[in-house]
Amino acid sequence: SLSRRDRMFKTVFAFSWVLNGAGFVLLWYRAGHFPFVDSFAESYVAAGFFLGMMSLLLSGRATSSLRLGRYTTLGIILLYALSLGKSLEPSSYLYWYNYPSVFCFFFFRVISIAVMLCGAAFFAMSLHRSEKGRNGGAAVDMANGRNFLLLCALFFLVSEICGAWWSAKASGDFWQFSPAFFTSAGTFLLFMIPFHWPSQWGGKRSVRAIVGACIPVLILVVVMIRNH
């Protein structure tokens, strides 16, 4: 059973998630469309909402499972910290927001951010358990982190395919290399590092857990710099 402190944390986390959801709905109401298109801050508010939802769904009554909520909280704080200084004014409505390809491009991009940070939380849990000598649990968390990061890469690729579909409808055969293209390609290559970490670079579980937890943060920082 959960301790009083754990029950209090879960209650506060759920309440905070409801407030996050209220902000998400308010942005939706003000914008008149799904509030995660063409805006850095909007996307991160939405990603924080979906990350909190996943944490509540995955955190059971066990204390070890509840620890996931503590690490995802750090991820949500990071999202809001990166949003500081960005405009929270909803983006203006544009007719192409109604296109399925446009909606899916932005939606799956937001989902990939949330899933990526959930994977980072599992890697951080694995590192914590390794330091405590709980190797069995650490191995499970490591596998979960890798699976979530793989799922994130899948969502990211779906987003890119929808973006290509959108570009084909908007520009036809026209194509050019751009900073956005190289950012997308670099993001995907960064995803591959935890999946194919060479043993000669450090085969210990703790090293792989640190890499797996840091790569999502690095990706967010790169995106922030590009959108500065």
Side-chain angles (χ1 to χ4, degrees):
S1 61
L2 298 177
S3 66
R4 181 179 180 182
R5 184 182 64 178
D6 290 332
R7 288 196 299 270
M8 182 178 297
F9 170 80
K10 192 166 186 177
T11 300
V12 171
F13 185 89
F15 180 71
S16 301
W17 176 72
V18 171
L19 289 180
N20 190 166
F24 181 62
V25 172
L26 179 61
L27 281 173
W28 191 346
Y29 175 77
R30 286 285 305 277
H33 56 82
F34 284 97
F36 45 70
V37 291
D38 251 5
S39 172
F40 186 84
E42 285 180 12
S43 296
Y44 278 15
V45 169
F49 174 76
F50 288 118
L51 177 58
M53 179 187 294
M54 283 190 294
S55 179
L56 288 172
L57 292 174
L58 293 171
S59 296
R61 295 184 58 83
T63 304
S64 58
S65 297
L66 189 61
R67 189 174 293 115
L68 176 66
R70 298 191 177 99
Y71 286 109
T72 52
T73 299
L74 295 177
I76 295 172
I77 292 173
L78 173 64
L79 288 174
Y80 276 82
L82 293 176
S83 299
L84 292 177
K86 302 290 183 180
S87 174
L88 288 176
E89 186 67 24
S91 56
S92 300
Y93 172 79
L94 295 173
Y95 71 92
W96 42 264
Y97 286 169
N98 293 322
Y99 293 171
S101 57
V102 177
F103 171 82
C104 290
F105 170 72
F106 288 109
F107 176 74
F108 283 108
R109 185 177 65 174
V110 167
I111 294 297
S112 68
I113 292 173
V115 174
M116 176 179 68
L117 288 175
C118 192
F122 274 113
F123 279 117
M125 288 175 60
S126 176
L127 179 62
H128 177 80
R129 288 187 175 182
S130 293
E131 292 178 347
K132 297 291 184 179
R134 303 168 185 170
N135 295 325
V140 172
D141 289 335
M142 178 74 73
N144 285 333
R146 187 180 184 279
N147 291 339
F148 269 86
L149 214 55
L150 184 60
L151 183 61
C152 169
L154 176 61
F155 284 135
F156 178 78
L157 286 176
V158 171
S159 172
E160 293 299 294
I161 291 172
C162 292
W165 177 22
W166 171 20
S167 297
K169 291 183 64 175
S171 306
D173 294 333
F174 177 77
W175 178 261
Q176 66 176 359
F177 291 102
S178 66
F181 172 82
F182 285 106
T183 300
S184 298
T187 299
F188 187 75
L189 291 176
L190 285 174
F191 278 137
M192 295 299 103
I193 294 177
F195 301 149
H196 305 287
W197 183 258
S199 58
Q200 60 267 28
W201 290 3
K204 292 184 178 180
R205 183 181 292 117
S206 58
V207 175
R208 285 179 289 166
I210 292 173
V211 173
C214 290
I215 287 297
V217 177
L218 177 60
I219 289 173
L220 289 178
V221 171
V222 169
V223 172
M224 180 196 69
I225 293 174
R226 182 182 173 276
N227 286 271
H228 183 67

